Amino acid sequence: MVLSQGLFYFCAMKKIAVFTSGGDSPGMNACIRAVVRTAIYHNLEVVGIMQGYKGMIEGGENFIELNSRSVGNIIQRGGTILKSSRSKEFMTPEGRKKAYDNLVAHGIEGIVCIGGNGTFTGAEIFFNEFGIPSIGAPGTIDNDLYGTDFTIGFDTAINTAVDAIDKIRDTADSHGRVFLIELMGRHAGFISLAATIAGGAEQVLLPEIVEDHSKVVEFFKGRTNTKKSFSIVIVAEGNIEGGAFKIDELLKKEIPNFDSRVVILGHIQRGGSPTAYDRVLASRLGAGAVEALMRGEKNKMAGLINNKFVLTPFHDAIYMKKDLNPDLVRLVEIFNC
Ligand code: F6P
């Protein structure tokens, strides 16, 4: 019998696995630590699978026993000690069968997978085929998963972006230039929108809002009489017309003497020591994922909504649309006068 969230329940599970998959995000290590220590606290054995689904398929040295000391001194580290990958082979039935055989050979009865929508898509298919229960912890800087207000790594990524914007602002001011800064988010503008507000950028182009560069052209043309001499424009990676270089090209065609520079922040946003917020989030979700598995939950993603722990079916987490906060979108317009 185990006490969790005020309830006693019976847990027959003895051994679980944890792995990270897809694009890494700061806080994944804090989540791995939480999974391992929570499992050990509840007398479960834990295996770490190196390289995500790729390691699950390859087996062998990719399966490592973890104990409390294995996850010491990692809470502050970016990246993932378990490494990560995007596995094409796991998308095939043959690949998944090899992965299943390796899990069975190691006596694994439940899985905590840390990753984004690709990771959970794989976990859902795998559960439907082989019945090994999984609980996901949302690890992605993109914050594009339904069923949690924030994903692990998002807070660190926006802080990294804002730090860069602050620095670029100095040189933009000195030279009276426009900077177009491209931020990550393959299909989602959460990083770009938050960084626009926090970094004081005047304009943003987001994948979720169908607006083209003419909005930015109008903004600059309408601003010729104001005293402001420099500007920051954020372009989300997944913007419909293309990234920051493409937008810059379009703007230069329409605005005479447009003195601009382009910065692509790229993978810098994926690295670095996680913020305190990401560490707490990762710790709560990792611990909650293990206890959910022990209660017999399966095929769900752990999340926090309004600071409360919740579980959302993988299917909804992947396919339901998480909307940008309309209040933030409105603030961009209010502040750019
Ligand atoms: O999903 C996280 C993310 O960083 C996206 O924002 C970005 O589009 C993508 O991963 C980049 O992936 P990769 O590192 O495989 O190039």
Side-chain angles (χ1 to χ4, degrees):
M1 298 286 231
V2 182
L3 181 64
S4 174
Q5 299 181 0
L7 296 171
F8 282 96
Y9 53 87
F10 179 71
C11 174
M13 211 173 264
K14 293 207 165 40
K15 198 180 210 179
I16 64 168
V18 59
F19 67 89
T20 50
S21 163
D24 61 349
S25 69
M28 279 185 161
N29 281 327
C31 192
I32 294 166
R33 172 182 178 272
V35 168
V36 171
R37 294 205 172 157
T38 305
I40 289 169
Y41 176 82
H42 289 302
N43 297 315
L44 293 177
E45 289 174 59
V46 203
V47 169
I49 302 174
M50 302 295 293
Q51 304 183 76
Y53 290 121
K54 180 170 182 282
M56 198 185 281
I57 292 167
E58 290 172 4
E61 290 178 354
N62 287 298
F63 283 62
I64 48 173
E65 302 286 334
L66 297 175
N67 58 41
S68 291
R69 299 285 67 78
S70 325
V71 292
N73 198 23
I74 65 166
I75 194 166
Q76 79 286 13
R77 283 171 55 189
T80 159
I81 60 162
L82 294 177
K83 314 297 179 198
S84 192
S85 64
R86 300 190 196 272
S87 169
K88 288 215 168 66
E89 201 182 348
F90 195 77
M91 293 176 194
T92 66
E94 298 75 27
R96 292 192 292 274
K97 175 69 170 64
K98 283 187 207 163
Y100 173 71
D101 290 342
N102 283 325
L103 292 176
V104 171
H106 286 85
I108 289 158
E109 299 156 297
I111 300 169
V112 176
C113 48
I114 307 169
N117 42 28
T119 306
F120 301 156
T121 303
E124 187 180 39
I125 296 170
F126 195 62
F127 174 75
N128 291 337
E129 286 175 350
F130 298 107
I132 297 188
S134 294
I135 296 289
T140 165
I141 62 167
D142 289 355
N143 197 30
D144 58 348
L145 290 164
Y146 180 89
T148 189
D149 288 339
F150 299 108
T151 56
I152 299 163
F154 172 67
D155 187 62
T156 309
I158 58 176
N159 277 285
T160 300
V162 169
D163 181 56
I165 293 168
D166 288 349
K167 288 178 173 131
I168 291 166
R169 175 180 282 283
D170 291 342
T171 177
D173 186 16
S174 303
H175 290 266
R177 280 176 177 151
V178 175
F179 272 80
L180 285 90
I181 306 176
E182 183 179 309
L183 300 180
M184 270 188 165
R186 206 187 328 231
H187 307 294
F190 292 96
I191 296 175
S192 291
L193 182 57
T196 296
I197 300 292
E202 282 88 359
Q203 289 282 303
V204 60
L205 289 170
L206 301 161
E208 292 87 345
I209 299 177
V210 184
E211 289 169 320
D212 64 12
H213 70 284
S214 52
K215 164 183 115 160
V216 185
V217 172
E218 272 166 39
F219 171 75
F220 283 113
K221 285 193 171 163
R223 227 184 58 156
T224 44
N225 294 332
T226 68
K227 295 233 161 45
K228 196 152 187 204
S229 63
F230 74 96
S231 276
I232 306 289
V233 175
I234 304 295
V235 181
E237 180 189 17
N239 175 50
I240 44 157
E241 281 185 310
F245 276 112
K246 180 70 191 170
I247 298 299
D248 188 49
E249 189 189 311
L250 295 169
L251 295 181
K252 282 197 161 92
K253 278 190 191 144
E254 296 191 41
I255 306 174
N257 306 319
F258 190 62
D259 187 13
S260 61
R261 295 291 185 273
V262 172
V263 174
I264 312 282
L265 213 56
H267 287 78
I268 288 172
Q269 294 157 95
R270 289 246 294 264
S273 179
T275 59
Y277 182 86
D278 270 330
R279 296 181 202 192
V280 173
L281 176 68
S283 300
R284 289 179 73 185
L285 297 184
V290 173
E291 293 187 340
L293 265 184
M294 294 174 69
R295 289 197 300 279
E297 296 282 3
K298 54 184 86 75
N299 233 3
K300 290 180 180 162
M301 183 193 82
L304 290 190
I305 294 182
N306 296 330
N307 208 22
K308 294 260 174 341
F309 183 85
V310 291
L311 292 170
T312 300
F314 277 147
H315 207 266
D316 292 351
I318 301 161
Y319 296 107
M320 301 267 289
K321 190 167 169 0
K322 179 168 165 180
D323 292 324
L324 293 174
N325 184 336
D327 290 345
L328 295 187
V329 175
R330 197 172 147 262
L331 288 182
V332 178
E333 293 309 312
I334 290 177
F335 295 156
N336 75 13
C337 54

